[in-house]
Amino acid sequence: MHTQVVIIGAGPAGLLLSHLLANDGVDAVIVESRSRAYVEKRIRAGILESSSVELLESAGVGERLRKEGMEHRGIYLQWPGHRHKFDFVDLVGRGVWVYGQTEVTKDLGAARDADGQVTFYGASDVALHDVDSENPYVTFVDESGTGDRIDSQVIAGCDGFHGPSRASIDDATVMEREYPFAWLGVLADVAPSTDELIYAWHPDGFAMHSMRSHDVSRFYLQVDPGEDIGEWSDDRIWSELRKRLAHDDWDLQIGDITEKSVLPMRSFVCTPMRQGRLFLAGDSAHIVPPTGAKGLNLAIADVGLLAAALGSYLKTGSTELIDAYSDTALRRVWRCTHFSWWMTTTLHQHGDAFDDQLQLSQLRLLASSKAAAKGLAENYAGLPIGY
Ligand code: FAS
Ligand code: PHB
């Protein structure tokens, strides 16, 4: 089989890249190891920066988002006795959207169906070949058990943290930081008890109140990295959330918990994001702790750059944008890596009284200084694409 671009991975990065390329008249085939149903059901991110929404809309996949997504002006940061609202629209002129990654993936999958392009779901033994040649190719076994090969001009590694593409980057510089805590993520059929997301510092550990719709809420609790989810009954979860999110006469509504899981936390950056005709985008190249709501938005930003670069190269032969891709993408990657590290280290309990005082001082400064609040708003609401 021949195509212009083979994309490994049908998560948000792979699906968005294929759709942007199709809009640009470039042919792409996706090879994905999981089933479509599995990919579309995977519960992950919930926040889209306005630049992500603009890119999805420009690609023609923003209609349901605009209808069903929830536009948010900002967030609350809280610590015992204090809950402070940050209005990003007032501070920096833009807010964020609440729209689950599952919905983004479904919308992108539907767009790909309409593009009529080929996606191999359920592939195994996916391997990259000759990435430094002018004709790189991918081999795999399709879900019927038949061996396949796709020859191309470019391979896009959109296969996430555990995919094979990153291994093809020769002499990659990998920088990684593991955090001494994890998140217990909870999905519940209960209307949110707040209008904006609440990020809460608490002496017993971080907690967050997020949401997916007017009827479904999403919560996170700081736990130990090796936490056994079996130790967390629904009652224990609600009791801990009520304690850590408590504020004045505010009450947390509870409901049926439909999903709970422990999510690890790490920062990870692979440099460069290119090897010959192989380009990495999204989690295959970088991972951020979810505290800053940057993972999905970074994947979208990478893909916006990569789609333009590949379109220019494959249609005109110009290598200017593909040669600049890795350095340009990494500038935003490091900005978001720093912001996610800062949000994570500022809001999570380290079990150290000195750290507690530093963190509380930082939170008081954010609540009292417009300059400090603008810095938070600019990073959380997202920097313009191409930063
Ligand atoms: P993805 O991992 O989404 O997609 C990669 C795809 O490649 C997958 O479908 C995978 O099956 C496929 N693949 C892997 N190996 C393959 C192979 N050998 N062959 C073919 N295909 C292969 N971000 C936030 O902003 N907020 C959050 O709350 C948040 N929570 C998260 C929770 C979890 C458990 C995880 C893992 C991530 C979370 N993230 C969150 C980050 C997440 O949203 C990612 O940033 C986003 O999924 C990145 O999209 P992709 O780069 O497409 O990678
Ligand atoms: C989510 O809703 O899943 C979410 C929101 C904001 C974050 C992390 C996760 O910072």
Side-chain angles (χ1 to χ4, degrees):
M1 188 176 192
H2 288 262
T3 186
Q4 290 178 285
V5 181
V6 184
I7 298 171
I8 304 176
L15 288 171
L16 178 58
L17 178 60
S18 70
H19 185 55
L20 291 175
L21 291 175
N23 286 352
D24 204 10
V26 174
D27 188 46
V29 173
I30 300 180
V31 180
E32 161 62 49
S33 55
R34 297 285 190 167
S35 70
R36 178 168 180 172
Y38 180 91
V39 173
E40 291 185 350
K41 274 211 301 279
R42 230 174 2 208
I43 296 167
R44 287 188 172 167
I47 299 293
L48 290 174
E49 296 173 356
S50 33
S51 53
S52 295
V53 173
E54 286 153 20
L55 181 59
L56 289 168
E57 281 192 307
S58 69
V61 287
E63 190 185 339
R64 193 163 74 97
L65 191 168
R66 282 280 179 194
K67 258 194 286 192
E68 298 177 19
M70 299 188 286
E71 196 165 8
H72 278 212
R73 293 181 63 91
I75 61 172
Y76 293 100
L77 292 187
Q78 88 170 41
W79 60 100
H82 301 268
R83 178 178 286 175
H84 184 85
K85 182 162 189 173
F86 292 83
D87 187 315
F88 298 151
V89 177
D90 285 348
L91 287 161
V92 294
R94 58 189 184 278
V96 293
W97 282 76
V98 174
Y99 191 65
Q101 179 170 326
T102 50
E103 304 320 299
V104 174
T105 307
K106 285 176 199 159
D107 294 345
L108 289 168
R112 183 155 181 77
D113 294 342
D115 293 338
Q117 303 224 352
V118 175
T119 302
F120 290 93
Y121 284 99
S124 57
D125 300 333
V126 178
L128 295 80
H129 306 272
D130 295 352
V131 298
D132 288 312
S133 77
E134 296 193 354
N135 293 104
Y137 63 95
V138 169
T139 55
F140 62 99
V141 176
D142 70 21
E143 57 187 354
S144 71
T146 307
D148 285 273
R149 165 174 168 154
I150 306 176
D151 287 90
S152 66
Q153 294 171 268
V154 169
I155 299 176
C158 301
D159 42 346
F161 185 66
H162 300 290
S165 295
R166 192 169 60 247
S168 294
I169 304 287
D170 295 341
D171 308 324
T173 301
V174 167
M175 282 179 256
E176 185 162 13
R177 176 157 299 184
E178 297 273 342
Y179 294 87
F181 33 72
W183 272 8
L184 192 164
V186 174
L187 202 62
D189 283 341
V190 61
S193 302
T194 176
D195 57 336
E196 304 282 14
L197 273 60
I198 304 170
Y199 291 74
W201 182 96
H202 189 276
D204 291 349
F206 170 79
M208 184 190 347
H209 187 335
S210 183
M211 59 196 75
R212 285 293 178 272
S213 69
H214 296 297
D215 310 307
V216 177
S217 292
R218 177 80 168 155
F219 300 94
Y220 296 100
L221 282 169
Q222 174 185 345
V223 294
D224 292 333
E227 193 79 12
D228 174 4
I229 192 72
E231 296 291 313
W232 285 86
S233 68
D234 293 3
D235 288 347
R236 183 184 178 196
I237 289 171
W238 290 121
S239 162
E240 198 62 22
L241 281 169
R242 277 183 152 159
K243 177 178 69 172
R244 297 186 192 180
L245 290 167
H247 180 67
D248 291 349
D249 52 0
W250 177 83
D251 186 28
L252 175 65
Q253 299 306 309
I254 68 173
D256 292 339
I257 290 179
T258 57
E259 193 270 345
K260 51 186 165 184
S261 54
V262 175
L263 317 174
M265 280 209 170
R266 69 164 59 85
S267 295
F268 177 96
V269 180
C270 168
T271 304
M273 292 172 57
R274 175 194 185 180
Q275 176 73 40
R277 294 295 185 87
L278 167 65
F279 297 83
L280 303 183
D283 277 19
S284 61
H286 42 72
I287 297 287
V288 288
T291 324
K294 289 299 163 209
L296 175 58
N297 292 292
L298 257 183
I300 291 172
D302 286 351
V303 167
L305 286 174
L306 184 55
L310 295 182
S312 167
Y313 170 63
L314 292 168
K315 294 197 294 183
T316 71
S318 163
T319 63
E320 184 190 353
L321 292 180
I322 57 171
D323 291 343
Y325 168 69
S326 181
D327 287 346
T328 307
L330 282 164
R331 197 162 58 231
R332 187 184 193 94
V333 167
W334 279 110
R335 172 80 317 265
C336 293
T337 296
H338 174 270
F339 177 67
S340 304
W341 164 83
W342 174 80
M343 282 283 276
T344 301
T345 50
T346 299
L347 288 164
H348 287 73
Q349 188 47 242
H350 302 259
D352 176 292
F354 186 78
D355 280 335
D356 287 359
Q357 293 309 315
L358 293 180
Q359 291 170 328
L360 291 169
S361 168
Q362 174 75 65
L363 292 170
R364 285 193 290 269
L365 174 71
L366 286 164
S368 58
S369 156
K370 192 127 179 147
K374 268 180 177 282
L376 167 65
E378 192 174 37
N379 280 281
Y380 192 103
L383 296 155
I385 291 272
Y387 159 79

